Amino acid sequence: MPRPAEWTPAADGDDGSVATLVTVFADDAEWLLAAALVRAACPTAQLVSVKRVQWLQLWEDYERHRDRYVQYANERLLFHGTCAQSAEDVLKHPQGLDPRFSSEGFYGRGVYLADDLNYAIGGRYAHRVSGHAGHRLQVLLVRSALGVQQEMGTRISAETRRMAMPGVRSDGPPRVLYDSVRAGPHRPFLSGTGESGLNASIIHVVYERLQLYPQYVIEFDLDVDPAVLACTQAAGSDPSSSTAAAGSSSSAAGGGRSSSAPPAKRPRPGPPSAGGGGGPSSSGAAQNAVPAALP
């Protein structure tokens, strides 16, 4: 399978078996896509870093599984939060985002993703980078082959909490399972939207790691109201979160624009740097308005 066109050439000795993080510059289309997803949900956020995940072995596994086993790909970019762990740590796992490391949530043990970035921020799913007083947040943008989804609405029960895979499809051949779960909107820590709907989001749960490819690690600055920050710190982790708990993106959270320096433009002349590294990531999910055709 060919490498994606936007990837930089592999370094000598890189056999594609591990993740490499490559800096995306502020005048690249990939940066503009990430910025649009963040700001559509949270207009006061200032995007400060985007790193592309180049992991050839995992990419080939994802493409092969998507094309062979997911009849209707329903491919989306969704935000996923790593909570206390950095994206670098999560991406060291040889299997990528592995549902086996998830804690049991509203819909069992799976990888949770969401449509609203404020869900990630309000739920403390977004990884908070040290040294920035809680204002610099990191998330993974995950390419997700959601397939035919089991619609759960806001239903939560002891049965849904024990789920280890989606249910049997109500249409089509007998004993064929859905590919993933779609549920909500839910709020962080609570089901349903509540009176205001603040931080409520549709969430998606995937039980097969090969349906997921962590495509970007993004960081953004956001001035979080001290009362909101204190509240989320006191609340702890949502039971539907995992080591890469789901977050999502929607209406704006409080706070003004960050005063951090603007992101660097691509050096001219010369190609973009292909250096590895990159900081931790946070959680969230892409907007429902994300076009079906992804770069």
Side-chain angles (χ1 to χ4, degrees), residues 204-278:
H204 308 269
V205 189
V206 176
Y207 303 87
E208 168 55 67
R209 69 174 186 85
L210 294 177
Q211 289 175 238
L212 302 170
Y213 181 79
Q215 190 156 338
Y216 300 106
V217 176
I218 67 173
E219 296 184 11
F220 58 95
D221 284 347
L222 181 67
D223 288 340
V224 182
D225 185 280
V228 173
L229 187 60
C231 179
T232 58
Q233 288 173 341
S237 297
D238 186 315
S240 66
S241 66
S242 70
T243 54
S248 67
S249 42
S250 75
S251 58
R257 284 186 83 81
S258 164
S259 60
S260 62
K265 299 290 186 180
R266 182 194 303 275
R268 305 290 187 187
S273 168

Side-chain angles (χ1 to χ4, degrees), residues 3-12 14 20 22 52 54 271-275:
R3 292 160 57 91
E6 66 272 15
W7 282 21
T8 56
D12 292 341
D14 182 2
T20 299
V22 178
R52 181 193 314 119
Q54 296 190 180
S273 168

